[in-house]
Amino acid sequence: ESMIDRFLDAFEGVHAVSNDPSREPGTLSYEVLRTNDDAKTVVILERFCNQSDHKVTHCSSPAFQAFSK
């Protein structure tokens, strides 16, 4: 299993919570993008209604806190 695979596995909890508006209000979309050109590149695209939804709601969520450790 590659480092990217381990990252994506660990990231799955944050992704699931962030894509559920009832669990993380203010999230517009949350996507994990990968390129065909570089298997080691992962881009995380996050969209929130406002900066507070990102800094307060998202960054303080239990899933984000667990992933950030």
Side-chain angles (χ1 to χ4, degrees):
E1 184 176 44
S2 73
M3 182 172 70
I4 294 295
D5 291 332
R6 289 193 305 273
F7 169 82
L8 292 172
D9 287 346
F11 188 75
E12 186 59 35
V14 174
H15 187 246
V17 168
S18 297
N19 274 325
D20 181 351
S22 69
R23 294 178 69 189
E24 194 168 291
T27 302
L28 297 174
S29 68
Y30 207 69
E31 300 174 60
V32 178
L33 308 169
R34 296 184 73 182
T35 176
N36 291 331
D37 297 333
D38 183 357
K40 295 179 182 178
T41 299
V42 175
V43 176
I44 300 168
L45 178 62
E46 304 171 309
R47 293 179 54 232
F48 300 92
C49 292
N50 57 54
Q51 192 170 13
S52 178
D53 288 332
H54 173 255
K55 294 207 178 259
V56 176
T57 306
H58 176 65
C59 292
S60 65
S61 71
F64 183 89
Q65 294 297 313
F67 179 75
S68 298
K69 290 183 179 186

